[in-house]
Amino acid sequence: MSELETIIGIDLGTTNSLAATVLEHGPEALRPPGAEAIMPSVLSRSGQGWLVGAAAREERTRSPETTVYSVKRLMGRDAEYLADEIARLHYRVEPAMRGLVRVRIGEETFTPQELSAELLREIKRRSEEALGHPVAKAVITVPAYFDDSQRQATRDAGRIAGLDVVRIINEPTAAAIAYGLDQKKSGLVAVYDLGGGTFDISLLSLSGKVFKVLSTHGDTHLGGDDFDRLLAEELRQRVLAEHPGAELDSPLAAALLLKTAELLKIDLSRALETGYELDLPGQGLRASGRMTREELNELIAPLVERTLDSARQALKAAGKSAEEVQDVVMVGGSSRVPLVREEVERFFGRRPNISINPDEVVAVGAAIQGHLLAGGRRDFLLLDVIPLSLGLETLGGTFSKLIMGNTTLPAQAGELFTTHVDNQTGVDVNIYQGEREFVKDCRSLGRFRLKGLPPMPAGLPRINVSFEVDANGILTVSAREERSGTEASIEVIPSHGLTGEEIDRIMEDSYEHAMDDLNERQMVEFRNMADAVFRGIEKAWEDAERMLSSEATGMIRQQMDKVRQVAQGSDPLALKREMDLLGRMTQPLADAIISKAALTELRKFYEDTGSGPESG
Amino acid sequence: MDCMNKPLRPSASDGEDYFRLFGLPRSYAIDRASLDSAYEELSLSCHPDFFAAAPAPELAAARAKSTLVNEAYRVLSSDSLRAEYLLGLLAAGRSLDTRALPEGFLMEMLELQEELDELFPPESPPATDGPQAGQAQRMRGLVKERLESLLEERRKLFAGAGESPDEQILRGLQTNLNCEKYLNRLLERLEIIEQ
Amino acid sequence: MAYSDKVIDHYKNPRNAGSFSKEEENVGTGVVGAPECGDVMKLQIKVENERIVDARFKTFGCGSAIASSSLATEWVKGKTLDEAMTIQNTEIVKELSLPPVKIHCSVLAEDAIKTAIADYRKKQDGSSGGE
């Protein structure tokens, strides 16, 4: 069998992201050497580039206005929908064309797709580092309850990041694959997935080989972030009660409150009571207090109850009762909150399964699906469903469903259309997605127009419009007038999101920027490396003076100055050249006498930059 | 114009019907375990995910087959849809009175709906407790009973239908299916009220 | 699909909603249903000298069914019974720009008019009132 193409699985989370792949011995989360598998989904603008991940997360309390988090909540949504969300974020979000929003950082603005693409680009880079070869394709997971525009936005982000997104799969489904295959489970399984920003519940029937999604429900704006916010608000009230003059509404203070709340939540998942301390340096204010798990539970109970409402809906749609569920799998970081576990256990009347790593299981499931799509295995199959009904706008703004939610994919539905006016040559149809009665409560996916009908009396044309949703969840619409045999041309005009041209432009821009970004990143790396090499040389300087001629040590000093000088610039290749030269000068010294520390640092440098001093 | 309202379904090719597709006898009574395992087997052989790397025509064929298999399973695994589908097969082109209902049935439905209007005026809060909730529960019980007896009648009619049933049986089945839709509509409304 | 303001208006503020007593001598009642979706529609006419002087409807169904029956009651008012018999569902479709999925709602309205007229005539011809 020929070498399979690598298709990585990516869990692009609200708070954390990670990638996994299937290796010879099985699926595994990808860890770049010396780094964590999990990367915080945080970006911080730094000059013309981005800090991504853990480094960016540190910037949240230092530079809240240029640090972007929870981008996932903005994907595929318009400003009106996001009004509450935007009010709570510490960075600026502005309405933009065609139902988009843009994040403003100083003079620049970015779409959520571009920002997500930065996260994906970093994930891609880390994966390549871990695997040692380039990665071009990925399966990306999304909350099961993401609608079509949110999925499309995710696909677009992948494209901008230079990834071919071969499949979007649902997070709880991915978790079920990983869990089901690992434990060889069969029967009715519920996956309860409470992440940072989204909640999903899916019911699946597992047989030995087939994973069939029966129903899914959720809330794309409910997650652990909301727990943090409630806690932060509680803290704010407490501090204000104690220090009425405190200024707690600045982005910095708000970010500090939120960070304290996050830590508090984590502590209270282990302890029944804990203390907190809040430093507001600018105001010379220090507040502290204690909080019990009981108090936390009281705050978040209504949110937990909302997740159980979703669970009820999912059970109803699948025609099942809570007692019939044989396994409850808890996924997502927020499923660690004790109240969540207790309530889920009470709801299903059984202990939820928490044996799998809730942080990694989604990415692992996506990787397994990627392996299947690459042709790596035929021994299991995921039968997924369309999460929300698809249909058309009809009279008076009512929504008429054509493909019902929870229909197994791939699926198809057809409808016969006709004209209302004599000699009408075109018909407009508005496509919506949702479960409500009126289109105003559903999502507009776009509009299509049947053009080029032959003139006929009203009511005579029989226009067969077919909706197809493939296994990828992508909708295509085709039409044919049956009497004349004319294939009506269809233009799908997305009402939200980016157009193809916009994506192309962003990709061009980002290609140019990618060069800048790469340079910048290399400069940072080489500078750090130079510092390390200098430290090594200084440590061994006494030996060097004893062993080498003053001429030789003088040249080394000179070259060190040269390196320092070039390190101020922005040309990584020039810096590397000077570093290599310094390496050659110190080579005999290194080999013979320089202390182990310097030697190690030097070796490390040569390994990392991929070239020994000889080749430079 | 009525034909305009019929949803188009992916149709099985000549001589092939949904029952045969799953290797099942053409009957209303169905063995769920056989249906489920046949569905799995077919899905494992034709799902487009196994053809992701295959040439475009092969992928398209897999997608079409898989779509058909999914639709066939959806129809056969639902009592109402299976009955409707089988009735169409049994009628074999003979036209059926799609509005057939028992004498007085529509009036009864109208009266029940009007009764609900009086008990639960539109925009009134959901009836989760109190005497009204009891009323809704009582009506729901009645409707459910009616549906049960409809299903029982349907089983008998199909059992006695044979390969090529006469007009009277076909009419009986069509009437039976029509009644179910009105009752389901009432049930839906009651469920909304009770929520 | 573009809808006239009139259509949306019919749907949101239905005209002539309500009932007459069906026992009245000069009232004709038509009750029809659409098995496609379980919609039930009642349309009543009040007749004087072969002319429809008033009409009422009650529809349990979707917006299109409500608008169709509301429009039907407006149209029959003032018409003679013979004139009202000529109302076609296609005219309702056209007036309301009903999409194909909802054409059966207009059929329902046409049937309701015809059934109500038949009921009225039966009352006049025959023995006594009733259905």
Side-chain angles (χ1 to χ4, degrees):
Chain A
M1 196 167 159
S2 63
E3 185 86 357
L4 284 175
E5 189 171 15
T6 305
I7 301 179
I8 59 169
I10 299 178
D11 175 3
L12 181 60
T14 310
T15 38
N16 290 302
S17 299
L18 80 157
T21 194
V22 175
L23 301 169
E24 242 161 71
H25 55 270
E28 200 178 284
L30 287 168
R31 288 176 177 76
E36 298 270 332
I38 288 177
M39 179 190 94
S41 305
V42 186
L43 296 157
S44 188
R45 194 70 172 152
S46 131
Q48 280 299 297
W50 293 99
L51 280 175
V52 184
R57 191 174 53 186
E58 295 308 307
E59 296 298 313
R60 272 182 69 170
T61 46
R62 268 184 247 157
S63 175
E65 278 138 330
T66 61
T67 304
V68 184
Y69 56 93
S70 296
V71 182
K72 191 171 176 178
R73 288 182 175 233
L74 308 179
M75 296 285 273
R77 292 288 187 205
D78 60 29
E80 197 186 330
Y81 185 94
L82 290 167
D84 289 352
E85 198 77 53
I86 291 170
R88 289 188 295 236
L89 295 169
H90 303 150
Y91 51 90
R92 277 174 67 189
V93 180
E94 300 172 349
M97 298 272 287
R98 258 200 331 290
L100 281 171
V101 292
R102 296 184 80 94
V103 171
R104 173 168 292 282
I105 297 175
E107 293 301 300
E108 301 167 292
T109 65
F110 305 91
T111 61
Q113 288 90 325
E114 289 168 88
L115 297 169
S116 276
E118 290 301 332
L119 296 173
L120 287 171
R121 222 191 294 271
E122 180 65 12
I123 288 280
K124 178 175 185 279
R125 193 191 65 76
R126 289 161 54 106
S127 303
E128 288 169 345
E129 205 180 320
L131 286 166
H133 62 75
V135 170
K137 294 187 175 182
V139 171
I140 301 182
T141 62
V142 295
Y145 225 50
F146 253 24
D147 68 19
D148 199 71
S149 26
Q150 292 168 301
R151 284 164 200 263
Q152 191 54 49
T154 307
R155 264 185 219 112
D156 292 345
R159 224 181 114 195
I160 294 168
L163 280 169
D164 178 4
V165 183
V166 294
R167 174 65 49 90
I168 296 280
I169 68 169
N170 297 329
E171 284 155 14
T173 314
I177 292 175
Y179 170 77
L181 287 176
D182 187 54
Q183 317 259 321
K184 301 194 171 42
K185 285 279 178 189
S186 62
L188 183 63
V189 174
V191 181
Y192 178 103
D193 180 359
L194 186 59
T198 59
F199 169 71
D200 276 319
I201 175 105
S202 288
L203 290 170
L204 293 99
S205 104
L206 273 53
S207 75
K209 287 177 168 182
V210 176
F211 295 66
K212 187 173 190 301
V213 180
L214 300 182
S215 67
T216 186
H217 204 273
D219 189 330
T220 54
H221 286 81
L222 173 61
D225 287 4
D226 298 289
F227 294 176
D228 298 343
R229 277 186 197 148
L230 287 175
L231 255 180
E233 177 55 26
E234 171 72 15
L235 288 176
R236 200 179 79 95
Q237 301 289 353
R238 288 187 181 192
V239 175
L240 277 180
E242 222 180 300
H243 310 270
E247 212 302 273
L248 297 177
D249 295 325
S250 69
L252 184 67
L256 272 172
L257 280 170
L258 202 56
K259 193 177 173 183
T260 310
E262 269 175 51
L263 295 173
L264 203 50
K265 180 185 72 179
I266 293 167
D267 281 353
L268 285 176
S269 290
R270 286 183 286 252
L272 290 172
E273 190 179 347
T274 189
Y276 61 88
E277 230 169 74
L278 248 165
D279 260 331
L280 289 167
Q283 307 175 44
L285 193 141
R286 173 172 282 211
S288 64
R290 299 193 71 74
M291 172 103 54
T292 65
R293 188 187 285 177
E294 201 66 26
E295 288 168 313
L296 169 70
N297 288 354
E298 212 166 293
L299 285 173
I300 64 174
L303 295 182
V304 178
E305 181 54 34
R306 257 167 69 193
T307 68
L308 299 181
D309 277 340
S310 279
R312 279 181 204 104
Q313 298 279 349
L315 284 167
K316 186 165 183 262
K320 303 284 181 190
S321 66
E323 298 80 53
E324 288 174 84
V325 175
Q326 287 156 288
D327 264 292
V328 182
V329 183
M330 302 281 281
V331 187
S334 307
S335 66
R336 291 199 177 88
V337 173
L339 181 72
V340 172
R341 286 190 182 169
E342 286 160 23
E343 289 299 304
V344 169
E345 177 171 347
R346 181 154 45 183
F347 182 85
F348 286 103
R350 64 174 58 244
R351 269 191 119 57
N353 190 312
I354 47 171
S355 62
I356 49 167
N357 182 334
D359 298 317
E360 291 185 3
V361 68
V362 169
V364 165
I368 297 173
Q369 179 71 15
H371 189 52
L372 178 137
L373 290 173
R377 61 194 296 173
R378 277 198 78 119
D379 61 336
F380 88 96
L381 172 64
L382 166 65
L383 289 170
D384 215 336
V385 298
I386 172 171
L388 297 158
S389 300
L390 276 175
L392 308 171
E393 177 180 7
T394 59
L395 177 76
T398 50
F399 177 53
S400 160
K401 295 173 184 174
L402 272 182
I403 300 182
M404 302 296 282
N406 294 321
T407 298
T408 306
L409 297 177
Q412 186 192 356
E415 194 71 57
L416 278 173
F417 283 78
T418 190
T419 51
H420 305 304
V421 180
D422 290 346
N423 301 325
Q424 191 178 334
T425 58
V427 176
D428 274 349
V429 180
N430 294 322
I431 310 167
Y432 284 83
Q433 184 173 36
E435 301 306 328
R436 306 280 296 275
E437 194 182 345
F438 296 98
V439 292
K440 69 175 169 57
D441 302 316
C442 298
R443 286 287 290 175
S444 164
L445 294 187
R447 184 168 82 233
F448 75 79
R449 187 173 298 147
L450 311 185
K451 292 189 298 194
L453 301 174
M456 279 189 258
L460 203 59
R462 291 167 55 88
I463 306 156
N464 183 353
V465 178
S466 156
F467 287 67
E468 278 174 60
V469 187
D470 68 11
N472 226 337
I474 296 173
L475 170 71
T476 46
V477 186
S478 57
R480 186 169 187 274
E481 201 288 304
E482 292 184 341
R483 287 183 206 282
S484 61
T486 338
E487 302 273 340
S489 61
I490 287 183
E491 241 173 83
V492 180
I493 306 154
S495 38
H496 290 81
L498 302 169
T499 62
E501 287 141 44
E502 280 171 316
I503 293 171
D504 289 344
R505 190 182 46 70
I506 291 170
M507 284 176 75
E508 271 170 39
D509 287 358
S510 70
Y511 183 72
E512 282 163 26
H513 276 145
M515 296 304 289
D516 297 347
D517 293 350
L518 187 69
N519 281 350
E520 204 154 320
R521 205 161 56 215
Q522 282 187 333
M523 278 308 286
V524 173
E525 278 168 16
F526 290 165
R527 270 180 214 135
N528 290 342
M529 213 46 80
D531 285 345
V533 171
F534 289 170
R535 276 199 302 276
I537 294 174
E538 298 295 352
K539 256 188 204 164
W541 195 247
E542 268 180 35
D543 291 335
E545 281 187 322
R546 189 153 37 83
M547 307 277 302
L548 300 177
S549 66
S550 61
E551 197 188 342
T553 52
M555 274 177 71
I556 289 176
R557 278 286 177 209
Q558 225 177 335
Q559 185 59 22
M560 285 168 79
D561 286 343
K562 179 82 183 160
V563 169
R564 279 195 195 96
Q565 190 196 326
V566 179
Q568 302 294 317
S570 59
D571 184 352
L573 288 178
L575 178 56
K576 174 134 191 324
R577 264 198 310 275
E578 301 305 329
M579 293 277 290
D580 286 348
L581 199 57
L582 178 64
R584 268 203 290 274
M585 290 174 179
T586 50
Q587 179 80 23
L589 180 70
D591 284 349
I593 48 147
I594 283 191
S595 75
K596 250 199 168 119
L599 193 65
T600 317
E601 291 297 348
L602 278 168
R603 286 231 171 101
K604 204 169 144 207
F605 167 70
Y606 294 128
E607 276 162 21
D608 284 358
T609 56
S611 65
E614 310 73 34
S615 65
Chain B
M1 276 275 181
D2 275 33
C3 59
M4 290 280 191
N5 307 320
K6 286 270 177 279
L8 303 173
R9 296 230 172 91
S11 55
S13 53
D14 297 328
E16 181 86 287
D17 65 49
Y18 291 170
F19 292 98
R20 228 175 284 171
L21 181 65
F22 289 120
L24 296 168
R26 191 190 266 197
S27 92
Y28 177 67
I30 200 158
D31 175 11
R32 275 310 292 257
S34 306
L35 174 66
D36 286 350
S37 70
Y39 174 58
E40 287 201 355
E41 224 163 274
L42 278 171
S43 295
L44 280 165
S45 75
C46 71
H47 196 277
D49 278 5
F50 297 122
F51 299 86
E58 238 175 279
L59 176 62
R63 190 186 303 139
K65 180 80 187 280
S66 190
T67 303
L68 173 67
V69 167
N70 282 337
E71 174 64 10
Y73 180 74
R74 189 180 77 90
V75 168
L76 294 192
S77 58
S78 143
D79 288 344
S80 310
L81 296 178
R82 185 173 67 252
E84 210 173 293
Y85 179 72
L86 182 58
L87 178 59
L89 291 179
L90 293 176
R94 281 176 285 177
S95 68
L96 297 169
D97 177 5
T98 54
R99 305 193 161 250
L101 285 173
E103 191 68 35
F105 182 83
L106 264 186
M107 195 50 93
E108 188 195 355
M109 289 300 109
L110 183 79
E111 278 162 6
L112 283 170
Q113 293 275 15
E114 284 182 325
E115 193 183 331
L116 277 178
D117 261 3
E118 273 164 39
L119 282 170
F120 311 100
E123 321 277 310
S124 67
T128 42
D129 48 35
Q132 284 187 324
Q135 289 278 28
Q137 223 167 27
R138 182 188 54 83
M139 276 179 82
R140 193 148 73 105
L142 270 174
V143 173
K144 283 213 154 158
E145 243 170 65
R146 289 286 293 275
L147 280 168
E148 274 304 310
S149 65
L150 270 181
L151 284 181
E152 190 48 44
E153 182 200 47
R154 182 185 302 169
R155 272 191 282 274
K156 283 186 189 140
L157 281 169
F158 271 122
E163 290 279 306
S164 177
D166 62 23
E167 297 287 334
Q168 201 192 336
I169 290 182
L170 291 179
R171 188 181 163 81
L173 281 167
Q174 181 70 58
T175 307
N176 179 288
L177 282 166
N178 289 349
C179 289
E180 190 191 16
K181 297 225 176 86
Y182 289 99
L183 287 166
N184 275 335
R185 189 63 184 262
L186 262 179
L187 201 60
E188 260 172 48
R189 189 168 169 204
L190 281 161
E191 272 169 7
I192 292 168
I193 286 171
E194 283 181 88
Q195 267 171 25
Chain C
M1 277 158 271
Y3 305 115
S4 62
D5 292 343
K6 198 174 159 189
V7 175
I8 296 164
D9 192 37
H10 262 294
Y11 165 67
K12 289 190 173 145
N13 314 297
R15 327 288 201 276
N16 310 311
S19 296
F20 298 132
S21 160
K22 63 181 180 216
E23 310 307 329
E24 274 180 62
E25 199 54 24
N26 61 342
V27 167
T29 303
V31 176
V32 293
E36 290 90 346
C37 50
D39 284 359
V40 188
M41 184 185 285
K42 179 176 80 174
L43 190 141
Q44 293 180 302
I45 49 171
K46 194 173 260 180
V47 185
E48 277 168 24
N49 301 324
E50 282 291 294
R51 194 171 285 278
I52 299 170
V53 293
D54 206 354
R56 290 278 184 279
F57 82 93
K58 222 170 197 190
T59 294
F60 299 95
C62 63
S64 308
I66 292 169
S68 295
S69 38
S70 167
L71 183 70
T73 54
E74 278 214 321
W75 277 0
V76 296
K77 271 204 261 184
K79 284 197 168 66
T80 65
L81 292 178
D82 286 341
E83 283 165 357
M85 280 302 278
T86 66
I87 293 173
Q88 299 270 316
N89 85 293
T90 46
E91 298 170 71
I92 298 172
V93 170
K94 220 165 177 173
E95 176 75 12
L96 296 181
S97 300
L98 286 187
V101 253
K102 295 295 180 183
I103 286 173
H104 66 269
C105 299
S106 67
V107 175
L108 210 56
E110 182 192 321
D111 284 356
I113 297 172
K114 295 201 158 82
T115 318
I117 292 173
D119 179 57
Y120 170 77
R121 288 204 161 132
K122 206 168 119 197
K123 267 189 192 172
Q124 301 306 306
D125 294 351
S127 27
S128 65
E131 286 159 61

